[in-house]
Amino acid sequence: MTPTIGINFHGIGDPKRNLEPGEAPYWITHAQFENVLDRIAASPDPTAYVITFDDGNQSDHDIALPALVARGLTARYFVLTGRIGHPGSLNTKHIRALQEAGMTIGSHGIAHVAWPTLADDALTRELCDSRSQLEDICNQPVTEAGIPFGRYDARVMRALRAAHYTAVWSSDGGRMKQDAFLRPRTSLRGDMSEAMIDSVLAGQMSLRRRLRRTLGMMRRRWVTTG
Ligand SMILES: [Zn+2]
């Protein structure tokens, strides 16, 4: 399989809801978003990129969907089911429109909590109830999850496998294998320079960051921290 670069977005443009503490840097402008999509579409192999969106903001539908369709690109949307229909977030009509346009819908849980902090039963609810709500809306199986805040550990991985997810998307950065269960992505932020975005799109990481990423992913996969 070709190594692939996962690019993760959150909100685009002006937020239409109150942001969580620490969330603002993950919102980017409409122009920044279009610029990244243009670069992906113009790259020698656009299929080397997987575009994803976390949180289920309304901009997923209003801004991202037409911009993707215009460029012939598709994306995965990881939706927080606790926010469906709330102001500034996707509603069921939006989700169905994304699906009908060929986008993939996945779960980001219900309440935007860090999964390692949850007790087993609450974790199972986050993984399973969010998915069944999305399956009801989409009328087809939902098999992938975007991990909130990129925070996971060995117990979370076991719970995701036990819940029969087939792929889970973290925020570890760098490249991934397209058929891997755990697929690292890089979240783009509004304060990233052009040069930083260039290196993300090139899948480049310094030796130090690569080492930190490898050790971090090993620890998160094999150790339970919660
Ligand atoms: Zn999130």
Side-chain angles (χ1 to χ4, degrees):
M1 285 264 169
T2 340
T4 302
I5 298 162
I7 304 293
N8 188 34
F9 296 100
H10 293 80
I12 308 158
D14 295 322
K16 295 193 172 71
R17 60 174 174 79
N18 293 329
L19 297 185
E20 294 179 349
E23 184 187 349
Y26 291 93
W27 280 69
I28 63 173
T29 66
H30 198 148
Q32 284 175 318
F33 177 67
E34 299 250 352
N35 181 263
V36 174
L37 285 197
D38 280 338
R39 290 210 239 172
I40 290 175
S43 73
D45 182 13
T47 64
Y49 295 93
V50 179
I51 300 166
T52 70
F53 297 84
D54 279 0
D55 299 347
N57 291 299
Q58 198 180 324
S59 54
D60 287 0
H61 172 271
D62 295 357
I63 298 175
L65 177 61
L68 289 163
V69 169
R71 292 165 179 81
L73 299 170
T74 55
R76 286 165 159 83
Y77 289 80
F78 298 108
V79 177
L80 281 169
T81 56
R83 288 189 190 163
I84 293 174
H86 291 207
S89 293
L90 297 172
N91 61 31
T92 54
K93 267 192 184 164
H94 295 143
I95 294 170
R96 289 197 190 105
L98 292 171
Q99 189 196 8
E100 278 159 24
M103 309 297 158
T104 302
I105 305 297
S107 170
H108 196 48
I110 303 169
H112 217 216
V113 286
W115 289 343
T117 66
L118 296 176
D120 288 344
D121 53 346
L123 176 59
T124 302
R125 276 198 301 278
E126 278 282 325
L127 304 187
C128 297
D129 293 5
S130 62
R131 181 180 55 195
S132 44
Q133 190 178 344
L134 291 168
E135 288 180 335
D136 285 347
I137 294 168
C138 298
N139 201 24
Q140 69 175 44
V142 167
T143 60
E144 299 190 6
I147 301 172
F149 317 108
R151 288 187 56 191
Y152 63 93
D153 63 9
R155 185 177 60 103
V156 168
M157 284 295 111
R158 279 196 304 274
L160 283 158
R161 286 182 190 275
H164 304 297
Y165 280 97
T166 58
V168 300
W169 299 76
S170 72
S171 309
D172 293 304
R175 291 166 181 267
M176 74 175 106
K177 290 210 174 67
Q178 268 190 9
D179 56 352
F181 180 70
L182 179 62
R183 303 179 189 182
R185 310 171 284 179
T186 301
S187 286
L188 295 192
R189 295 190 317 268
D191 60 0
M192 280 181 164
S193 65
E194 289 272 314
M196 282 167 87
I197 291 175
D198 278 342
S199 61
V200 170
L201 292 177
Q204 288 165 347
M205 273 180 146
S206 67
L207 187 61
R208 211 176 127 198
R209 274 196 65 208
R210 269 209 316 269
L211 194 65
R212 237 180 44 206
R213 169 185 183 266
T214 305
L215 294 174
M217 284 179 77
M218 255 164 58
R219 182 173 49 80
R220 285 188 281 280
R221 264 185 289 192
W222 302 114
V223 178
T224 293
T225 53

